[in-house]
Amino acid sequence: MNNIIQRWLEKRIGAPQRLPVTVNRKRLYTLPTGAGWLLLTLSLACVIASLNYTSNEALLVTLILASASILSLIMGHRILNGVTLQSINVEPSHAGDNFTVEMEIKTKAWAKGIMVVIGNSHAAFDVDKNGVGKVRLSLPASQRGLWVLPRLCLTTRQPLGLATTWTWIFPQNIIVTIWPALEREPALLPQISTGNKHHINNAMQNQDIRSLRAYRPGDSIRQIAWKQSARSGTTFVREYDRPTGEAVIEWDKINLSYEEKLSRIATWVVEAERCGRPTKVILPNRQLGPGKGIKHRNECLDALAEMPNDQ
């Protein structure tokens, strides 16, 4: 049944369209709200009572209310007819957070009460004297990957709230980039890359121990504080002051599950950019960097989002 309804909607609404998209009268739908159905029921009851008791005054009032109701349906239709969705901008986010969708919509300067709905998120917006309004929606980023923005709905209950008028819009080629989730407690960044193993070991040994923390999967065995772990019965690792050299992040050297490995690399990339450290990320069949800054960080995170799902 759901597939039948979906096919009917796609046939009725049409294929995804390139922006800007302008709504026409053929794509508008109207149904009474709860208040509208109540008024319709009362109007029918009043008409029957007026005719039964031959009350011209009551019949006149009923007809005036019915005329106002019909006029509200026409006004709701006019508000959405001709609305243009001009642009959509989607900001990437990490899985588990929310991503932001920003839209620019052009309509009549007098049109009020239009709401944009995507999934379970909705937001109203105001327009300026030129009829241009901007709306910002926050949606949950549930899973890593590249996703197509779902269809969105423009709806209004203006002017009297007696009916809901809406339309569906399928924007074409609007991709949502969801980066891997970040670890709550980032592991120590990889050591400085010099091409000299002896120097790398000395660099780790000469760092000041900042604190001890509980062992997390993927931590190096060399970081384990064996004495403190033996005394307490809990495995602790040493956390050193963060180095300032280039961090080389290699996919094959991280001993975690597939998605956990992506989260670890994403966390290291974000942490390295925050500390101002250049990074080189070595993924299967791909290498990024060395580099640093927001652009390099986003390139690395985009590459992680594009990684295929674990088979």
Side-chain angles (χ1 to χ4, degrees):
M1 180 61 69
N2 290 335
N3 292 333
I4 296 175
I5 295 175
Q6 184 69 25
R7 287 195 298 269
W8 179 84
L9 281 174
E10 292 176 354
K11 182 178 179 180
R12 175 65 181 171
I13 299 171
Q17 295 176 289
R18 292 184 178 274
L19 300 179
V21 178
T22 300
V23 177
N24 57 50
R25 60 183 180 81
K26 294 181 180 180
R27 298 176 60 179
L28 293 176
Y29 307 88
T30 302
L31 280 177
T33 61
W37 286 114
L38 178 60
L39 180 61
L40 177 61
T41 303
L42 292 176
S43 298
L44 290 175
C46 289
V47 168
I48 294 173
S50 300
L51 294 175
N52 186 45
Y53 291 100
T54 319
S55 176
N56 294 331
E57 294 82 1
L59 184 61
L60 177 62
V61 171
T62 303
L63 293 177
I64 291 175
L65 290 176
S67 300
S69 302
I70 295 173
L71 183 61
S72 69
L73 300 180
I74 297 173
M75 287 301 298
H77 191 275
R78 285 195 60 201
I79 289 173
L80 287 184
N81 188 27
V83 171
T84 300
L85 178 60
Q86 293 186 319
S87 64
I88 298 178
N89 180 45
V90 181
E91 297 179 2
S93 181
H94 293 278
D97 296 335
N98 292 331
F99 67 93
T100 301
V101 180
E102 294 181 346
M103 288 168 279
E104 185 175 280
I105 298 175
K106 183 174 177 58
T107 182
K108 299 98 172 171
W110 52 265
K112 305 293 182 182
I114 301 177
M115 183 173 293
V116 181
V117 182
I118 302 179
N120 294 324
S121 301
H122 56 84
F125 63 96
D126 297 321
V127 297
D128 57 21
K129 61 181 180 180
N130 297 318
V132 177
K134 293 185 178 181
V135 61
R136 186 182 180 95
L137 278 174
S138 182
L139 300 169
S142 57
Q143 188 175 359
R144 175 195 65 85
L146 301 180
W147 308 99
V148 178
L149 186 71
R151 69 187 182 198
L152 59 93
C153 176
L154 298 178
T155 181
T156 183
R157 290 190 174 186
Q158 294 294 317
L160 300 178
L162 299 178
T164 300
T165 304
W166 76 93
T167 184
W168 295 102
I169 296 179
F170 285 93
Q172 187 179 36
N173 297 330
I174 305 297
I175 303 299
V176 182
T177 303
I178 305 300
W179 298 327
L182 296 178
E183 296 177 319
R184 293 187 177 182
E185 298 183 6
L188 189 67
L189 281 166
Q191 297 302 309
I192 182 172
S193 174
T194 63
N196 187 325
K197 293 184 178 180
H198 178 71
H199 180 82
I200 294 174
N201 291 334
N202 288 340
M204 185 170 183
Q205 292 173 2
N206 292 334
Q207 291 174 37
D208 293 331
I209 299 176
R210 186 176 62 181
S211 61
L212 296 176
R213 60 169 174 80
Y215 174 83
R216 291 195 295 266
D219 287 335
S220 173
I221 296 178
R222 293 179 298 176
Q223 293 177 241
I224 296 177
W226 296 105
K227 292 183 179 179
Q228 291 83 350
S229 300
R231 292 171 187 166
S232 63
T234 302
T235 305
F236 288 101
V237 296
R238 303 182 186 91
E239 199 165 45
Y240 300 93
D241 288 333
R242 300 189 183 277
T244 58
E246 176 188 306
V248 178
I249 304 173
E250 299 186 58
W251 174 272
D252 294 332
K253 292 187 177 181
I254 302 175
N255 186 24
L256 294 172
S257 65
Y258 189 85
E259 289 296 331
E260 289 176 343
K261 190 180 294 189
L262 291 171
S263 294
R264 174 63 57 85
I265 296 175
T267 303
W268 276 345
V269 168
V270 171
E271 184 69 9
E273 192 280 326
R274 187 183 67 83
C275 298
R277 292 184 61 187
T279 55
K280 179 193 293 184
V281 179
I282 302 176
L283 300 175
N285 302 322
R286 187 172 183 181
Q287 176 177 313
L288 299 105
K292 65 178 182 178
I294 298 296
K295 182 179 180 181
H296 174 69
R297 182 202 69 178
N298 290 349
E299 288 178 352
C300 295
L301 293 176
D302 288 345
L304 295 174
E306 294 169 5
M307 291 284 288
N309 294 326
D310 189 17
Q311 300 299 329

Short mmCIF file of all heavy atoms in Angstrom, two decimals, residues 158-216:
data_model
loop_
_atom_site.label_atom_id
_atom_site.label_comp_id
_atom_site.label_asym_id
_atom_site.label_seq_id
_atom_site.Cartn_x
_atom_site.Cartn_y
_atom_site.Cartn_z
N GLN A 158 -3.70 30.01 7.05
CA GLN A 158 -4.27 31.35 6.97
C GLN A 158 -5.47 31.35 6.02
O GLN A 158 -5.56 30.51 5.12
CB GLN A 158 -3.19 32.32 6.46
CG GLN A 158 -2.03 32.51 7.40
CD GLN A 158 -2.44 33.20 8.68
OE1 GLN A 158 -3.22 34.18 8.65
NE2 GLN A 158 -1.95 32.73 9.80
N PRO A 159 -6.43 32.31 6.21
CA PRO A 159 -6.40 33.38 7.21
C PRO A 159 -7.18 33.08 8.49
O PRO A 159 -7.00 33.75 9.50
CB PRO A 159 -7.07 34.53 6.45
CG PRO A 159 -8.05 33.84 5.55
CD PRO A 159 -7.43 32.54 5.17
N LEU A 160 -8.06 32.07 8.48
CA LEU A 160 -8.94 31.84 9.63
C LEU A 160 -8.65 30.53 10.34
O LEU A 160 -9.30 30.24 11.35
CB LEU A 160 -10.41 31.86 9.17
CG LEU A 160 -10.90 33.16 8.53
CD1 LEU A 160 -12.36 33.01 8.08
CD2 LEU A 160 -10.76 34.32 9.51
N GLY A 161 -7.74 29.72 9.83
CA GLY A 161 -7.43 28.44 10.47
C GLY A 161 -8.48 27.37 10.26
O GLY A 161 -8.50 26.36 10.95
N LEU A 162 -9.35 27.58 9.26
CA LEU A 162 -10.41 26.61 8.99
C LEU A 162 -9.98 25.51 8.03
O LEU A 162 -10.65 24.48 7.93
CB LEU A 162 -11.64 27.33 8.42
CG LEU A 162 -12.28 28.39 9.34
CD1 LEU A 162 -13.44 29.05 8.63
CD2 LEU A 162 -12.72 27.77 10.65
N ALA A 163 -8.88 25.73 7.32
CA ALA A 163 -8.41 24.75 6.34
C ALA A 163 -6.89 24.80 6.25
O ALA A 163 -6.26 25.83 6.52
CB ALA A 163 -9.03 25.01 4.97
N THR A 164 -6.31 23.66 5.90
CA THR A 164 -4.87 23.57 5.68
C THR A 164 -4.63 23.45 4.18
O THR A 164 -5.16 22.55 3.52
CB THR A 164 -4.28 22.35 6.38
OG1 THR A 164 -4.51 22.45 7.78
CG2 THR A 164 -2.78 22.25 6.13
N THR A 165 -3.82 24.36 3.65
CA THR A 165 -3.42 24.32 2.25
C THR A 165 -1.93 23.99 2.20
O THR A 165 -1.14 24.58 2.94
CB THR A 165 -3.69 25.65 1.55
OG1 THR A 165 -5.07 25.99 1.68
CG2 THR A 165 -3.33 25.58 0.07
N TRP A 166 -1.54 23.05 1.35
CA TRP A 166 -0.13 22.65 1.32
C TRP A 166 0.28 22.25 -0.08
O TRP A 166 -0.55 22.01 -0.97
CB TRP A 166 0.11 21.50 2.29
CG TRP A 166 -0.38 20.16 1.84
CD1 TRP A 166 0.32 19.20 1.17
CD2 TRP A 166 -1.70 19.63 2.02
NE1 TRP A 166 -0.47 18.10 0.93
CE2 TRP A 166 -1.71 18.34 1.43
CE3 TRP A 166 -2.86 20.12 2.61
CZ2 TRP A 166 -2.86 17.54 1.44
CZ3 TRP A 166 -4.00 19.34 2.60
CH2 TRP A 166 -3.98 18.06 2.03
N THR A 167 1.58 22.15 -0.27
CA THR A 167 2.17 21.66 -1.51
C THR A 167 3.48 20.96 -1.19
O THR A 167 4.13 21.27 -0.19
CB THR A 167 2.41 22.81 -2.51
OG1 THR A 167 2.90 22.26 -3.75
CG2 THR A 167 3.47 23.78 -1.98
N TRP A 168 3.86 19.99 -2.04
CA TRP A 168 5.12 19.27 -1.89
C TRP A 168 6.12 19.77 -2.94
O TRP A 168 5.75 20.04 -4.07
CB TRP A 168 4.93 17.77 -2.08
CG TRP A 168 4.07 17.12 -1.04
CD1 TRP A 168 2.76 16.75 -1.16
CD2 TRP A 168 4.46 16.78 0.30
NE1 TRP A 168 2.31 16.19 0.01
CE2 TRP A 168 3.34 16.20 0.93
CE3 TRP A 168 5.64 16.91 1.02
CZ2 TRP A 168 3.37 15.74 2.23
CZ3 TRP A 168 5.68 16.45 2.32
CH2 TRP A 168 4.56 15.88 2.91
N ILE A 169 7.39 19.86 -2.53
CA ILE A 169 8.46 20.24 -3.46
C ILE A 169 9.58 19.23 -3.34
O ILE A 169 10.03 18.91 -2.23
CB ILE A 169 8.99 21.66 -3.17
CG1 ILE A 169 7.89 22.69 -3.41
CG2 ILE A 169 10.20 21.98 -4.04
CD1 ILE A 169 8.33 24.12 -3.11
N PHE A 170 10.04 18.73 -4.47
CA PHE A 170 11.18 17.81 -4.53
C PHE A 170 12.37 18.55 -5.14
O PHE A 170 12.50 18.59 -6.36
CB PHE A 170 10.86 16.58 -5.37
CG PHE A 170 9.97 15.59 -4.70
CD1 PHE A 170 8.60 15.63 -4.88
CD2 PHE A 170 10.50 14.60 -3.90
CE1 PHE A 170 7.78 14.71 -4.26
CE2 PHE A 170 9.68 13.67 -3.28
CZ PHE A 170 8.31 13.73 -3.46
N PRO A 171 13.25 19.15 -4.33
CA PRO A 171 14.44 19.79 -4.91
C PRO A 171 15.42 18.74 -5.42
O PRO A 171 15.64 17.70 -4.78
CB PRO A 171 15.02 20.58 -3.74
CG PRO A 171 14.52 19.88 -2.52
CD PRO A 171 13.19 19.29 -2.87
N GLN A 172 16.02 18.99 -6.55
CA GLN A 172 16.90 18.02 -7.18
C GLN A 172 18.36 18.26 -6.79
O GLN A 172 18.82 19.40 -6.68
CB GLN A 172 16.78 18.11 -8.71
CG GLN A 172 17.53 17.03 -9.46
CD GLN A 172 17.35 17.16 -10.97
OE1 GLN A 172 17.28 18.26 -11.49
NE2 GLN A 172 17.24 16.04 -11.66
N ASN A 173 19.08 17.15 -6.55
CA ASN A 173 20.54 17.17 -6.31
C ASN A 173 20.93 18.01 -5.10
O ASN A 173 21.94 18.71 -5.11
CB ASN A 173 21.28 17.69 -7.55
CG ASN A 173 21.10 16.78 -8.74
OD1 ASN A 173 20.92 15.57 -8.59
ND2 ASN A 173 21.11 17.35 -9.94
N ILE A 174 20.14 17.95 -4.04
CA ILE A 174 20.52 18.59 -2.79
C ILE A 174 21.07 17.48 -1.88
O ILE A 174 20.30 16.67 -1.34
CB ILE A 174 19.34 19.32 -2.12
CG1 ILE A 174 18.72 20.33 -3.08
CG2 ILE A 174 19.80 19.99 -0.83
CD1 ILE A 174 19.66 21.45 -3.49
N ILE A 175 22.39 17.43 -1.74
CA ILE A 175 23.06 16.37 -1.01
C ILE A 175 23.37 16.83 0.42
O ILE A 175 23.88 17.94 0.63
CB ILE A 175 24.35 15.93 -1.71
CG1 ILE A 175 24.04 15.49 -3.15
CG2 ILE A 175 25.03 14.80 -0.95
CD1 ILE A 175 23.09 14.32 -3.25
N VAL A 176 23.05 15.98 1.37
CA VAL A 176 23.37 16.22 2.78
C VAL A 176 24.58 15.38 3.15
O VAL A 176 24.55 14.15 3.01
CB VAL A 176 22.18 15.87 3.69
CG1 VAL A 176 22.51 16.17 5.14
CG2 VAL A 176 20.93 16.63 3.25
N THR A 177 25.66 16.03 3.60
CA THR A 177 26.88 15.34 3.99
C THR A 177 26.90 15.16 5.50
O THR A 177 26.91 16.15 6.24
CB THR A 177 28.13 16.12 3.54
OG1 THR A 177 28.08 16.31 2.12
CG2 THR A 177 29.40 15.36 3.90
N ILE A 178 26.90 13.91 5.94
CA ILE A 178 26.94 13.61 7.37
C ILE A 178 28.29 12.97 7.67
O ILE A 178 28.59 11.87 7.20
CB ILE A 178 25.80 12.67 7.79
CG1 ILE A 178 24.44 13.26 7.37
CG2 ILE A 178 25.84 12.42 9.29
CD1 ILE A 178 24.14 14.61 8.00
N TRP A 179 29.10 13.67 8.44
CA TRP A 179 30.42 13.17 8.81
C TRP A 179 30.30 12.12 9.92
O TRP A 179 29.27 12.03 10.60
CB TRP A 179 31.30 14.32 9.31
CG TRP A 179 31.56 15.38 8.28
CD1 TRP A 179 31.68 15.20 6.94
CD2 TRP A 179 31.73 16.78 8.52
NE1 TRP A 179 31.93 16.40 6.31
CE2 TRP A 179 31.97 17.39 7.25
CE3 TRP A 179 31.72 17.59 9.65
CZ2 TRP A 179 32.19 18.76 7.12
CZ3 TRP A 179 31.94 18.95 9.52
CH2 TRP A 179 32.17 19.52 8.27
N PRO A 180 31.34 11.31 10.13
CA PRO A 180 31.29 10.33 11.22
C PRO A 180 31.12 11.01 12.58
O PRO A 180 31.53 12.17 12.78
CB PRO A 180 32.66 9.63 11.12
CG PRO A 180 33.09 9.84 9.72
CD PRO A 180 32.56 11.18 9.31
N ALA A 181 30.52 10.29 13.50
CA ALA A 181 30.33 10.82 14.85
C ALA A 181 31.69 11.01 15.53
O ALA A 181 32.63 10.26 15.27
CB ALA A 181 29.46 9.88 15.67
N LEU A 182 31.76 12.03 16.38
CA LEU A 182 32.99 12.29 17.13
C LEU A 182 32.99 11.53 18.45
O LEU A 182 31.93 11.34 19.07
CB LEU A 182 33.13 13.79 17.40
CG LEU A 182 33.30 14.69 16.18
CD1 LEU A 182 33.39 16.15 16.62
CD2 LEU A 182 34.52 14.30 15.36
N GLU A 183 34.17 11.09 18.86
CA GLU A 183 34.30 10.44 20.16
C GLU A 183 34.16 11.46 21.28
O GLU A 183 34.61 12.60 21.15
CB GLU A 183 35.66 9.74 20.26
CG GLU A 183 35.83 8.61 19.27
CD GLU A 183 37.21 8.00 19.35
OE1 GLU A 183 38.20 8.75 19.50
OE2 GLU A 183 37.32 6.77 19.27
N ARG A 184 33.54 11.07 22.35
CA ARG A 184 33.36 12.00 23.47
C ARG A 184 34.68 12.33 24.15
O ARG A 184 34.90 13.46 24.59
CB ARG A 184 32.38 11.40 24.48
CG ARG A 184 30.96 11.27 23.95
CD ARG A 184 29.99 10.85 25.04
NE ARG A 184 28.62 10.81 24.54
CZ ARG A 184 27.57 10.52 25.30
NH1 ARG A 184 27.76 10.21 26.59
NH2 ARG A 184 26.36 10.51 24.77
N GLU A 185 35.54 11.34 24.26
CA GLU A 185 36.87 11.55 24.86
C GLU A 185 37.91 11.20 23.81
O GLU A 185 38.24 10.03 23.61
CB GLU A 185 37.05 10.68 26.11
CG GLU A 185 36.07 11.01 27.22
CD GLU A 185 36.33 10.17 28.45
OE1 GLU A 185 37.34 9.43 28.46
OE2 GLU A 185 35.53 10.23 29.39
N PRO A 186 38.44 12.21 23.10
CA PRO A 186 39.38 11.92 22.02
C PRO A 186 40.65 11.26 22.51
O PRO A 186 41.21 11.64 23.53
CB PRO A 186 39.66 13.31 21.41
CG PRO A 186 39.31 14.27 22.50
CD PRO A 186 38.20 13.65 23.27
N ALA A 187 41.10 10.24 21.78
CA ALA A 187 42.36 9.58 22.11
C ALA A 187 43.52 10.48 21.72
O ALA A 187 43.37 11.45 20.97
CB ALA A 187 42.45 8.24 21.37
N LEU A 188 44.71 10.15 22.25
CA LEU A 188 45.90 10.94 21.97
C LEU A 188 46.21 10.90 20.48
O LEU A 188 46.17 9.84 19.85
CB LEU A 188 47.08 10.40 22.76
CG LEU A 188 48.36 11.23 22.74
CD1 LEU A 188 48.16 12.54 23.47
CD2 LEU A 188 49.51 10.44 23.36
N LEU A 189 46.51 12.06 19.91
CA LEU A 189 46.84 12.14 18.49
C LEU A 189 48.11 11.36 18.19
O LEU A 189 48.98 11.23 19.05
CB LEU A 189 47.04 13.60 18.08
CG LEU A 189 45.78 14.43 17.83
CD1 LEU A 189 46.12 15.90 17.78
CD2 LEU A 189 45.12 14.00 16.55
N PRO A 190 48.23 10.83 16.97
CA PRO A 190 49.47 10.14 16.60
C PRO A 190 50.68 11.06 16.75
O PRO A 190 50.57 12.29 16.68
CB PRO A 190 49.22 9.78 15.13
CG PRO A 190 47.76 9.78 14.97
CD PRO A 190 47.23 10.82 15.90
N GLN A 191 51.86 10.43 16.94
CA GLN A 191 53.07 11.20 17.21
C GLN A 191 53.58 11.91 15.98
O GLN A 191 53.16 11.67 14.86
CB GLN A 191 54.16 10.27 17.78
CG GLN A 191 53.78 9.65 19.11
CD GLN A 191 53.48 10.71 20.14
OE1 GLN A 191 54.27 11.62 20.34
NE2 GLN A 191 52.33 10.62 20.79
N ILE A 192 54.56 12.80 16.19
CA ILE A 192 55.16 13.58 15.13
C ILE A 192 55.79 12.67 14.08
O ILE A 192 56.39 11.65 14.41
CB ILE A 192 56.22 14.55 15.70
CG1 ILE A 192 56.80 15.40 14.57
CG2 ILE A 192 57.30 13.82 16.44
CD1 ILE A 192 57.70 16.51 15.09
N SER A 193 55.58 13.02 12.82
CA SER A 193 56.12 12.22 11.72
C SER A 193 57.45 12.80 11.28
O SER A 193 57.52 13.94 10.83
CB SER A 193 55.14 12.23 10.54
OG SER A 193 55.69 11.60 9.43
N THR A 194 58.53 12.01 11.43
CA THR A 194 59.86 12.47 11.02
C THR A 194 60.56 11.46 10.14
O THR A 194 61.62 11.74 9.60
CB THR A 194 60.74 12.71 12.26
OG1 THR A 194 60.92 11.47 12.93
CG2 THR A 194 60.11 13.72 13.20
N GLY A 195 59.96 10.27 10.00
CA GLY A 195 60.62 9.22 9.24
C GLY A 195 61.70 8.52 10.04
O GLY A 195 62.42 7.68 9.53
N ASN A 196 61.84 8.83 11.34
CA ASN A 196 62.89 8.25 12.18
C ASN A 196 62.22 7.64 13.39
O ASN A 196 61.70 8.34 14.26
CB ASN A 196 63.87 9.35 12.61
CG ASN A 196 65.08 8.77 13.34
OD1 ASN A 196 64.97 7.80 14.07
ND2 ASN A 196 66.23 9.39 13.14
N LYS A 197 62.19 6.30 13.47
CA LYS A 197 61.51 5.63 14.57
C LYS A 197 62.13 5.97 15.91
O LYS A 197 61.44 6.11 16.91
CB LYS A 197 61.52 4.11 14.34
CG LYS A 197 60.69 3.66 13.16
CD LYS A 197 60.69 2.16 13.06
CE LYS A 197 59.82 1.69 11.89
NZ LYS A 197 59.81 0.22 11.78
N HIS A 198 63.46 6.10 15.95
CA HIS A 198 64.12 6.41 17.21
C HIS A 198 63.67 7.78 17.71
O HIS A 198 63.41 7.96 18.91
CB HIS A 198 65.64 6.40 17.00
CG HIS A 198 66.41 6.76 18.25
ND1 HIS A 198 66.49 5.91 19.33
CD2 HIS A 198 67.12 7.89 18.58
CE1 HIS A 198 67.23 6.48 20.29
NE2 HIS A 198 67.60 7.69 19.84
N HIS A 199 63.54 8.73 16.79
CA HIS A 199 63.10 10.07 17.20
C HIS A 199 61.65 10.05 17.68
O HIS A 199 61.29 10.73 18.62
CB HIS A 199 63.23 11.03 16.01
CG HIS A 199 62.81 12.43 16.35
ND1 HIS A 199 63.62 13.32 17.00
CD2 HIS A 199 61.63 13.08 16.14
CE1 HIS A 199 62.99 14.47 17.17
NE2 HIS A 199 61.77 14.34 16.66
N ILE A 200 60.83 9.22 17.01
CA ILE A 200 59.42 9.14 17.43
C ILE A 200 59.30 8.59 18.84
O ILE A 200 58.57 9.10 19.68
CB ILE A 200 58.63 8.27 16.44
CG1 ILE A 200 58.59 8.96 15.07
CG2 ILE A 200 57.22 8.00 16.93
CD1 ILE A 200 57.95 8.12 13.98
N ASN A 201 60.06 7.52 19.14
CA ASN A 201 60.01 6.94 20.47
C ASN A 201 60.51 7.93 21.51
O ASN A 201 59.92 8.06 22.59
CB ASN A 201 60.86 5.66 20.51
CG ASN A 201 60.23 4.55 19.69
OD1 ASN A 201 59.02 4.53 19.50
ND2 ASN A 201 61.05 3.64 19.18
N ASN A 202 61.60 8.65 21.21
CA ASN A 202 62.12 9.65 22.14
C ASN A 202 61.12 10.78 22.34
O ASN A 202 60.98 11.30 23.44
CB ASN A 202 63.46 10.21 21.64
CG ASN A 202 64.58 9.19 21.78
OD1 ASN A 202 64.47 8.24 22.55
ND2 ASN A 202 65.65 9.38 21.01
N ALA A 203 60.42 11.16 21.26
CA ALA A 203 59.45 12.25 21.37
C ALA A 203 58.34 11.87 22.34
O ALA A 203 57.87 12.68 23.12
CB ALA A 203 58.85 12.56 19.99
N MET A 204 57.94 10.58 22.31
CA MET A 204 56.87 10.15 23.21
C MET A 204 57.38 10.04 24.64
O MET A 204 56.69 10.41 25.59
CB MET A 204 56.33 8.80 22.73
CG MET A 204 55.13 8.32 23.52
SD MET A 204 54.39 6.90 22.75
CE MET A 204 53.00 6.65 23.86
N GLN A 205 58.64 9.58 24.79
CA GLN A 205 59.17 9.40 26.13
C GLN A 205 59.46 10.74 26.80
O GLN A 205 59.35 10.89 28.02
CB GLN A 205 60.44 8.57 26.06
CG GLN A 205 60.19 7.12 25.64
CD GLN A 205 61.47 6.35 25.41
OE1 GLN A 205 62.57 6.91 25.60
NE2 GLN A 205 61.36 5.10 24.99
N ASN A 206 59.83 11.75 26.00
CA ASN A 206 60.20 13.04 26.58
C ASN A 206 59.01 13.94 26.86
O ASN A 206 59.16 15.02 27.42
CB ASN A 206 61.16 13.77 25.62
CG ASN A 206 62.51 13.06 25.53
OD1 ASN A 206 62.90 12.37 26.46
ND2 ASN A 206 63.18 13.22 24.40
N GLN A 207 57.79 13.53 26.45
CA GLN A 207 56.62 14.35 26.73
C GLN A 207 56.26 14.26 28.21
O GLN A 207 56.49 13.23 28.85
CB GLN A 207 55.43 13.88 25.90
CG GLN A 207 55.57 14.14 24.41
CD GLN A 207 54.43 13.54 23.67
OE1 GLN A 207 53.31 13.55 24.16
NE2 GLN A 207 54.70 12.99 22.50
N ASP A 208 55.71 15.32 28.71
CA ASP A 208 55.24 15.34 30.10
C ASP A 208 53.90 14.62 30.18
O ASP A 208 53.01 14.82 29.34
CB ASP A 208 55.07 16.78 30.58
CG ASP A 208 56.42 17.50 30.68
OD1 ASP A 208 57.43 16.80 30.93
OD2 ASP A 208 56.45 18.72 30.48
N ILE A 209 53.77 13.77 31.20
CA ILE A 209 52.51 13.07 31.42
C ILE A 209 51.51 14.05 32.00
O ILE A 209 51.74 14.63 33.07
CB ILE A 209 52.70 11.87 32.36
CG1 ILE A 209 53.69 10.87 31.74
CG2 ILE A 209 51.36 11.20 32.63
CD1 ILE A 209 54.01 9.71 32.63
N ARG A 210 50.41 14.25 31.30
CA ARG A 210 49.42 15.21 31.76
C ARG A 210 48.46 14.60 32.77
O ARG A 210 48.11 15.20 33.78
CB ARG A 210 48.63 15.75 30.55
CG ARG A 210 47.66 16.86 30.90
CD ARG A 210 46.99 17.43 29.67
NE ARG A 210 46.20 16.40 28.99
CZ ARG A 210 45.52 16.61 27.88
NH1 ARG A 210 45.56 17.79 27.31
NH2 ARG A 210 44.83 15.62 27.32
N SER A 211 48.02 13.35 32.53
CA SER A 211 47.06 12.71 33.42
C SER A 211 46.97 11.23 33.06
O SER A 211 47.58 10.76 32.11
CB SER A 211 45.68 13.37 33.31
OG SER A 211 45.20 13.24 31.98
N LEU A 212 46.20 10.51 33.89
CA LEU A 212 45.87 9.12 33.61
C LEU A 212 44.38 9.04 33.33
O LEU A 212 43.58 9.75 33.93
CB LEU A 212 46.23 8.23 34.80
CG LEU A 212 47.71 8.12 35.17
CD1 LEU A 212 47.86 7.28 36.43
CD2 LEU A 212 48.52 7.51 34.03
N ARG A 213 44.01 8.16 32.45
CA ARG A 213 42.59 7.94 32.15
C ARG A 213 42.37 6.46 31.87
O ARG A 213 43.32 5.70 31.67
CB ARG A 213 42.14 8.78 30.96
CG ARG A 213 42.87 8.49 29.67
CD ARG A 213 42.19 9.16 28.48
NE ARG A 213 42.96 9.02 27.26
CZ ARG A 213 42.97 7.92 26.50
NH1 ARG A 213 42.26 6.86 26.87
NH2 ARG A 213 43.70 7.87 25.40
N ALA A 214 41.11 6.07 31.87
CA ALA A 214 40.77 4.66 31.62
C ALA A 214 41.11 4.27 30.19
O ALA A 214 41.05 5.09 29.28
CB ALA A 214 39.28 4.43 31.89
N TYR A 215 41.49 3.03 30.03
CA TYR A 215 41.85 2.50 28.71
C TYR A 215 40.63 2.48 27.80
O TYR A 215 39.52 2.16 28.22
CB TYR A 215 42.41 1.08 28.87
CG TYR A 215 42.69 0.39 27.55
CD1 TYR A 215 43.88 0.61 26.87
CD2 TYR A 215 41.74 -0.48 27.01
CE1 TYR A 215 44.13 -0.02 25.66
CE2 TYR A 215 41.98 -1.12 25.81
CZ TYR A 215 43.18 -0.89 25.13
OH TYR A 215 43.41 -1.51 23.94
N ARG A 216 40.85 2.87 26.53
CA ARG A 216 39.83 2.81 25.50
C ARG A 216 40.33 1.94 24.36
O ARG A 216 41.52 1.97 24.05
CB ARG A 216 39.46 4.20 24.99
CG ARG A 216 38.73 5.07 25.99
CD ARG A 216 38.11 6.27 25.29
NE ARG A 216 39.12 7.14 24.73
CZ ARG A 216 39.62 8.21 25.33
NH1 ARG A 216 39.21 8.52 26.55
NH2 ARG A 216 40.52 8.96 24.75
#
